[in-house]
Amino acid sequence: SKDGGLTWQVVQPTLAGQVDTHPETLDPYTYVEEDSGRVFDIDLYGENLAVGLPVGAFLSWSDDEGATWLTSTVSIPGLNDHQTLFAGPTPIGNPLLKSVDPRFPEVLYYCVNQVADSWCARSINGGLTFTMGATPAYLGADPETNDVVCGGLHGHLATDSAGRLFLPKGHCGDPWLAISEDGGDSWTRIQISNKIRAADTQMAVAVDSADNLYYVWFDDIHHLPYLSISRDHGKTWSAPRMLGPPGVYEVNFPTIAAGDPGKIALTFPGTTVNDQSDPSRPWNSYVVISTDALSSDPTFVSNISNPANDPVYRGACLGRCGRMFDFLDVVISPNDGSVWATAVDTCTAKTGCPTNPKAASDDMRGIAIRQISGPPLIGTGACPGKANKCK
C-alpha cells in the first residue's frame, strides 16, 4: 500500500513476473527491516503436505518495495514450524559475526519450533545462506522445569542495539525468555514471573531505543494481559502489571511494539461480555498505547479499531480463536512514530455475523489498523499520518 493502507496491490515474489516462487505455504509471514527497508516474505513448505510436515521455508526479499525479488530456501534439519525472522547488528558476544551484504549490514535470524526444542539459524549475506546456531534456545523437555515436556512452540524474535537475541515462550505454563549474546550459539533462559502463569505459548517481547525490554503475556486463569519490564537486558524483571482495559473480561494473544524509551503499543482481541458459554459473545480488536510505561505510575490509553457494532469474532476465543489463528501484530512506523497493527476479522457479512449473533464466525479477512491521531511513539509532536519524520 502506498496510500496509508486505503488500497493494496499484490507484489508477492514471482519468477519472470508470472510464476509464483512460493507455490505453497504452511505459515505465511512477512518482515520489514527498518534501517535498510528490505522486505522479507517467508512461507513454510512441507515434503508431505498430506500430513502437514513443514521441513523448510521459501525466503524472498526485495530492496525496491516488491518490484523485484531474490529467492532462496532455508531449513533447519528436522521439523520447521511457526517460524520467526528478524535482524540485528553484530552481537556483542560474537564480534566476528558481521554481514557481508553491503545493502543489508545486519545479521538475519530464522528460528523455528521443532516440538522437541526451539532452534535458530543465522545469515550474514542477507538471506542467501544460513548457518545453524550451536545450541537450541529451548529444550522441549527442560531440566529447568524438571524435565516436563514443554514443546518448542515460541513467540517472535527481537534484538537490541548490541545484537542480543530475545526469544519469548510460554514454557510449561510460565512466561520465559531465552537470551543470546553471541548470535544464537549459547542461550540463557530467564523466567519472567513465577506468580502470574501463562495461558499459552505465544508470548511477545519488544525493545525500545534505549534497550529497555517489554514482555507481554495473558494469564492462565482470567486470560488478561500482563506486562513486565527489564532495564538490564533481560536479567531482572519488574512485577507484572495487568493491562486489561476497563470492562474487558478476557483477551487472547497480546503482542507489543516499542519506540522511544517508555513508549509502547499493544494489540489483542478482547471481549466485554463475561460469559464464556455465550456463542454470540462479541470480540473487538484493541490497541493500547503508553508514552510513560517506564514511570512508577504509567498511563495506558486504549480503543477498539473495529466498529462497535461489527466485532471481529463471536463465541469462545480460546486457543487460536477459531479462524483468527495468531496472525496478529503491531509495529511503530519509523517515519512518523505512528502505530500500525494487523488483525483477522472472522465475523464478516459473508456469514451475516455482524448483525446476526447466531451466525457463524467463520470467515477470514485481514485487517490493517492505522493510528490517525494521538502521540507518536518515535519522536515528538502530533504527527501520525504525515510523511515526514517527527521532529
Side-chain angles (χ1 to χ4, degrees), residues 163-179:
R164 298 179 183 89
L165 308 183
F166 305 100
L167 191 67
K169 183 178 186 296
H171 196 54
C172 281
D174 291 303
W176 285 72
L177 185 68
I179 305 169

Side-chain angles (χ1 to χ4, degrees), residues 219-307:
D219 76 279
D220 65 330
I221 298 175
H222 304 290
H223 299 167
L224 290 171
Y226 281 82
L227 168 71
S228 188
I229 298 173
S230 175
R231 303 169 190 252
D232 56 9
H233 315 301
K235 296 182 179 66
T236 61
W237 292 84
S238 66
R241 181 185 295 274
M242 202 280 288
L243 299 184
V248 171
Y249 285 99
E250 189 176 354
V251 309
N252 197 346
F253 287 153
T255 189
I256 189 169
D260 288 343
K263 298 182 179 182
I264 61 174
L266 298 87
T267 191
F268 47 77
T271 181
T272 56
V273 174
N274 189 21
D275 183 359
Q276 294 185 358
S277 65
D278 182 358
S280 65
R281 188 186 196 196
W283 291 72
N284 297 306
S285 180
Y286 282 85
V287 178
V288 178
I289 290 176
S290 178
T291 59
D292 62 350
L294 293 173
S295 72
S296 59
D297 187 20
T299 299
F300 296 88
V301 179
S302 68
N303 208 337
I304 61 173
S305 58
N306 54 282

